[in-house]
Amino acid sequence: MLLLLLFAVGCAAPRGPIGFWSRNRLRADGARQGPWRTYYDSADTRLATRGRYRHDQPLGHWRYYRYAGSLERDDRYRRRGRMLVRRFHPNGRLAERGQARVEAGADTVHYYWYGFWQQYDSTGQPAGWELYDQGWRAARGVGAVPRRSAGGRAN
């Protein structure tokens, strides 16, 4: 009888995800690892983010969704904290794209934009551009991002 009771309690106990295919796994040291999803609701029906972690660091392609379900932002994490960022209008069209960087210190995390950022209107046409230097806007213009000449300077 005691064995039956222990078996029933063991089966009913909540468990974490099992297997390499499971999402939102934590390693023994508490670091996030593998596929990761977050939701706006407790029923897991309204997706908020979707991506992957390796050694508690975001890796590869991450998507961030609005509460209504449309794509808000699309990030592609590269090496050494660099990332390609695309932000979208509520109608699904591209709003802006550019590069960002994440630098983690001992007690701080610094996220900033750098380089040229192209902005688009709600119909998808280039509306303007901005140039960032370590998060500070250095210049802005109208239309498409200036093309670079053979010498590396913007025309």
Side-chain angles (χ1 to χ4, degrees), residues 47-83:
L47 187 62
T49 64
R50 182 174 73 190
R52 175 182 266 342
Y53 282 101
R54 180 184 294 159
H55 306 294
D56 209 29
Q57 298 296 317
L59 172 75
H61 193 185
W62 275 76
R63 292 183 180 105
Y64 301 85
Y65 298 91
R66 291 182 179 85
Y67 185 76
S70 63
L71 186 61
E72 179 179 0
R73 197 172 86 224
D74 180 89
D75 296 348
R76 295 193 185 260
Y77 288 85
R78 304 289 188 215
R79 294 178 189 214
R80 293 181 291 280
R82 294 179 311 168
M83 54 198 298

Side-chain angles (χ1 to χ4, degrees), residues 124-150:
Q125 298 302 313
W129 57 268
E130 295 179 336
L131 175 63
Y132 287 88
D133 183 20
Q134 293 194 8
W136 298 96
R137 187 174 59 215
R140 70 172 15 166
V142 178
V145 169
R147 296 172 56 119
R148 295 196 178 265
S149 65

Side-chain angles (χ1 to χ4, degrees), residues 8-35:
V9 170
C11 290
R15 297 181 189 197
I18 299 171
F20 67 89
W21 60 87
S22 300
R23 61 182 164 91
N24 296 3
R25 291 185 301 143
L26 297 175
R27 294 188 327 209
D29 62 357
R32 295 167 287 194
Q33 184 75 20

Side-chain angles (χ1 to χ4, degrees), residues 36-125:
W36 201 269
R37 290 184 182 183
T38 59
Y39 293 88
Y40 286 110
D41 60 342
S42 60
D44 291 354
T45 57
R46 292 190 178 268
L47 187 62
T49 64
R50 182 174 73 190
R52 175 182 266 342
Y53 282 101
R54 180 184 294 159
H55 306 294
D56 209 29
Q57 298 296 317
L59 172 75
H61 193 185
W62 275 76
R63 292 183 180 105
Y64 301 85
Y65 298 91
R66 291 182 179 85
Y67 185 76
S70 63
L71 186 61
E72 179 179 0
R73 197 172 86 224
D74 180 89
D75 296 348
R76 295 193 185 260
Y77 288 85
R78 304 289 188 215
R79 294 178 189 214
R80 293 181 291 280
R82 294 179 311 168
M83 54 198 298
L84 302 175
V85 178
R86 295 186 309 166
R87 296 179 58 193
F88 296 90
H89 289 288
N91 67 2
R93 299 259 182 171
L94 186 61
E96 59 188 347
R97 68 178 176 170
Q99 299 178 78
R101 174 165 274 182
V102 177
E103 294 177 348
D107 57 346
T108 62
V109 175
H110 186 200
Y111 171 89
Y112 61 89
W113 292 1
Y114 69 96
F116 282 102
W117 276 71
Q118 178 68 61
Q119 299 166 337
Y120 300 90
D121 62 20
S122 60
T123 64
Q125 298 302 313

